[in-house]
Amino acid sequence: MKTDELVAFLAAGADAVESNVVARRYALSLGWGAFGATLLMAVLLGVRVDIETAARLPMFWVKLAFPASLAVASLVAASRLSRPGGRFGGTRGAIVAPVIVIWLYAAWVLLGASPAERADLVIGRTWKYCLVGIPTLAVTVFCAALWAMKGLAPTRLALAGAAAGLLSGATAALVYALHCPEMEAPFLGVWYVAGMAVPVVVGALLGPLVLRW
């Protein structure tokens, strides 16, 4: 069979690929993943009892905006890396920026505090729960994100897995923030970042195994 005939044969009956397939796949998977994380938080941890009072404080919204911005940036990165040959592009800066901002804010808070107060600002009262709670809530989103990626033929598997991990960790941190009583920037800059880093590492390790096609 000649080359032209082979190409024509392979192309026969091929349907056009839907342009919004990535968006639809991620919307479906993240919708269910976020629902699962929220349900886990409500059942296992519960929403903080003073959330109405806390919502009047600017720092409460800073605490939500930090993981939310990372979730948006990592969603863009994950959707790009889900495609064959996909790259981070400009999303790398969008991922790094919120972390740098919270660290700078944390440094400013620590510099303005007395030496006796600094340890409490960093450690808080619930750091152990934060370090466990965020990765636990991230499980449902992580599985959903990997499912979305698996059907989109990624080729940079470790990076794609890490992006899925960050997406799940950031979403979980956003949900966990509705339970967590901590409001100080140094705490967020250490323990929220550490909690989100766990699924990133897991994703980078599992990506080449789970996303292989």
Side-chain angles (χ1 to χ4, degrees), residues 106-130:
W108 181 76
V109 171
L110 290 173
L111 288 174
S114 66
E117 296 174 320
R118 290 171 183 167
D120 289 337
L121 290 172
V122 173
I123 297 175
R125 294 165 293 166
T126 63
W127 69 270
K128 292 180 181 179
Y129 301 103
C130 180

Side-chain angles (χ1 to χ4, degrees), residues 59 62 101-115 117-122 183-188:
M59 193 58 204
V62 171
V101 169
I102 202 69
W103 282 350
L104 290 175
Y105 186 26
W108 181 76
V109 171
L110 290 173
L111 288 174
S114 66
E117 296 174 320
R118 290 171 183 167
D120 289 337
L121 290 172
V122 173
M183 299 281 279
E184 300 296 340
F187 183 92
L188 302 178

Side-chain angles (χ1 to χ4, degrees), residues 3-210:
T3 302
D4 292 343
E5 294 175 346
L6 176 61
V7 171
F9 174 77
L10 293 175
D15 297 324
V17 177
E18 298 180 48
S19 59
N20 63 343
V21 64
V22 175
R24 288 194 300 104
R25 196 170 179 87
Y26 271 100
L28 176 63
S29 63
L30 293 184
W32 283 108
F35 173 77
T38 304
L39 184 62
L40 279 177
M41 183 274 293
V43 172
L44 299 179
L45 304 173
V47 177
R48 57 184 296 178
V49 295
D50 63 339
I51 192 167
E52 292 185 6
T53 302
R56 300 189 185 101
L57 303 174
M59 193 58 204
F60 176 79
W61 297 103
V62 171
K63 185 171 75 167
L64 294 182
F66 172 47
S69 60
L70 280 173
V72 172
S74 59
L75 174 58
V76 175
S79 62
R80 290 182 177 179
L81 289 167
S82 296
R83 300 178 176 91
R87 297 181 177 276
F88 271 112
T91 58
R92 186 180 283 106
I95 290 172
V96 173
V99 178
I100 292 177
V101 169
I102 202 69
W103 282 350
L104 290 175
Y105 186 26
W108 181 76
V109 171
L110 290 173
L111 288 174
S114 66
E117 296 174 320
R118 290 171 183 167
D120 289 337
L121 290 172
V122 173
I123 297 175
R125 294 165 293 166
T126 63
W127 69 270
K128 292 180 181 179
Y129 301 103
C130 180
L131 199 57
V132 174
I134 292 176
T136 300
L137 296 181
V139 171
T140 59
V141 187
F142 184 62
C143 293
L146 289 181
W147 173 85
M149 281 186 168
K150 182 71 174 178
L152 296 171
T155 53
R156 307 181 73 186
L157 303 185
L159 279 178
L166 180 57
L167 176 57
S168 63
T171 304
L174 179 60
V175 173
Y176 181 79
L178 300 176
H179 159 79
C180 177
E182 309 287 353
M183 299 281 279
E184 300 296 340
F187 183 92
L188 302 178
V190 174
W191 302 112
Y192 270 50
V193 171
M196 290 185 284
V198 173
V200 173
V201 174
V202 173
L205 294 175
L206 290 183
L209 301 176
V210 176

